[in-house]
Amino acid sequence: MSMGHCSEQRPGFEVTKDWNGADQVAIRSPRGASVRVCLHGGQVVSWRNDRGEELLFTSSKAIFKPPRATRGGIPICFPQFGNCGTLEQHGFARNKIWTIDEEAPPLNYGDNNNNKASVDLLLKPSEDDLKCWPHWVSLSMDGDLSLISRVRNVNGKPFSFAFAYHTYLSVSDISEVRIEGLETLDYLDNLSQRERFTEQGDAITFESEVDRVYVGSPGVIAVLDHEKKRTFIVRKEGLPDIVVWNPWEKKSKTMADFGDEEYKQMLCVDAAAVERAITLKPGEEWTGKLELSAVPSTNCSDHLDHPGRL
């Protein structure tokens, strides 16, 4: 994997440039797992395990030049999700340039902090967006990817926002994938004007386009890829919803930055807060956390019975 031209080495990570000249941060674990984060959008663009296998999907037709977000990886949706508001699709955070926070205060991100390589990014306030948003990305010894975002209201009046980690998982074949942990939950169906339904299946499987917001979801869910014998464990805090999206064949053909057949190799499973807006009063702060693990597929109930390590 090409990591670009290293421009600066720092403890726990290195600052690089990709083939297009964009600044990126590369994080590696001692066992060989790696993460790359683009400063344009604060977007995770690669997550590889210790065998070098890419765990996130990126379209072969993705556009890597600002101001567009890259189709793949983990774009950050803030302060709006989708087109449910007055801003551009998924808000402005994924189209802003982030900076490395050299003076990030130490925060308690868990008991195993010493085994994590990490970087703190900051989206600085401007006249138009009076918010201060630190964003923490880390890679554990075992290759687990953790994202922690904080939003502080530094303005003099309340404001509301939606949020999502728009996570593109790489899968073998969408027809061989199922999601466990969302059974019996209500969901808003974006293909039916956000009408509310209740999930009836024992697990979620895929045979056509899906665009749903599962509300009040548990802190842990599992995405099982039968062909790869791999299970993604999604752990979250502060993010009550799970968005599940696959464009399927018809919609794929309408997307300029997405291959016609690529819907078969991806699935978006987003830890999110979109059904109800989060409102912060002046001086208040919100924190959202996501941890992604990729493990060999076994009896997934073991993972779902233990609500997480965040």
Side-chain angles (χ1 to χ4, degrees):
M1 176 183 67
S2 172
M3 297 297 293
H5 300 291
C6 178
S7 59
E8 193 169 353
Q9 184 78 38
R10 307 186 190 202
F13 63 88
E14 61 180 358
V15 181
T16 72
K17 290 187 181 295
D18 67 10
W19 61 271
N20 199 39
D23 288 332
Q24 293 189 350
V25 175
I27 307 173
R28 289 186 180 275
S29 77
R31 296 179 183 174
S34 66
V35 166
R36 285 187 292 132
V37 186
C38 186
L39 294 188
H40 172 238
Q43 179 173 346
V44 175
V45 292
S46 175
W47 172 36
R48 292 179 182 261
N49 61 21
D50 55 11
R51 295 181 298 279
E53 298 169 327
E54 180 59 62
L55 302 173
L56 300 177
F57 168 86
T58 298
S59 173
S60 63
K61 294 189 175 182
I63 298 169
F64 292 92
K65 290 186 177 181
R68 297 194 63 169
T70 301
R71 175 73 67 183
I74 310 179
I76 296 170
C77 304
F78 170 86
Q80 175 180 302
F81 183 80
N83 57 7
C84 298
T86 59
L87 301 176
E88 59 199 275
Q89 175 88 356
H90 290 321
F92 56 74
R94 65 182 189 150
N95 295 322
K96 298 279 189 180
I97 300 298
W98 293 62
T99 58
I100 297 171
D101 189 357
E102 304 284 5
E103 300 177 356
L107 295 175
N108 181 17
Y109 293 131
D111 296 333
N112 298 317
N113 243 18
N114 292 334
N115 292 326
K116 293 184 177 180
S118 64
V119 64
D120 290 89
L121 303 180
L122 184 66
L123 181 59
K124 293 183 177 179
S126 67
E127 284 188 23
D128 296 326
D129 9 288
L130 288 172
K131 298 123 187 126
C132 187
W133 191 16
H135 177 50
W136 186 76
V137 181
S138 77
L139 190 65
S140 74
M141 183 78 74
D142 294 330
D144 295 348
L145 173 61
S146 298
L147 305 175
I148 301 178
S149 297
R150 292 180 293 143
V151 179
R152 290 198 297 267
N153 185 355
V154 297
N155 198 358
K157 55 186 178 181
F159 76 90
S160 301
F161 63 92
F163 180 95
Y165 291 115
H166 193 27
T167 305
Y168 287 77
L169 297 175
S170 175
V171 301
S172 57
D173 188 322
I174 188 62
S175 64
E176 296 292 325
V177 173
R178 78 176 191 268
I179 302 177
E180 294 184 354
L182 301 178
E183 312 76 67
T184 74
L185 293 186
D186 284 358
Y187 64 86
L188 308 178
D189 193 340
N190 289 322
L191 302 180
S192 300
Q193 290 77 48
R194 293 176 65 84
E195 188 176 351
R196 196 179 189 101
F197 298 93
T198 300
E199 180 59 51
Q200 301 295 328
D202 294 334
I204 300 171
T205 57
F206 301 90
E207 298 176 346
S208 59
E209 181 181 358
V210 173
D211 190 353
R212 299 174 180 173
V213 180
Y214 286 84
V215 300
S217 59
V220 187
I221 68 164
V223 182
L224 288 79
D225 187 334
H226 300 291
E227 188 171 316
K228 285 191 175 180
K229 295 182 173 58
R230 173 190 293 155
T231 297
F232 290 102
I233 308 299
V234 180
R235 297 179 174 89
K236 61 186 179 65
E237 292 182 15
L239 298 161
D241 308 322
I242 287 283
V243 179
V244 178
W245 179 69
N246 184 287
W248 219 254
E249 185 175 10
K250 184 177 179 181
K251 186 168 185 179
S252 295
K253 292 179 178 179
T254 68
M255 299 160 62
D257 59 349
F258 194 84
D260 290 354
E261 300 292 321
E262 288 185 328
Y263 71 92
K264 297 176 182 178
Q265 278 77 56
M266 58 74 64
L267 175 64
C268 280
V269 180
D270 308 355
V274 296
E275 184 202 16
R276 293 187 178 90
I278 297 168
T279 299
L280 295 180
K281 297 176 182 177
E284 286 187 334
E285 179 175 296
W286 167 87
T287 300
K289 304 178 182 181
L290 169 66
E291 181 181 274
L292 298 173
S293 307
V295 300
S297 290
T298 55
N299 183 353
C300 208
S301 62
D302 291 345
H303 303 291
L304 298 180
D305 288 343
H306 299 86
R309 305 186 297 266
L310 283 171

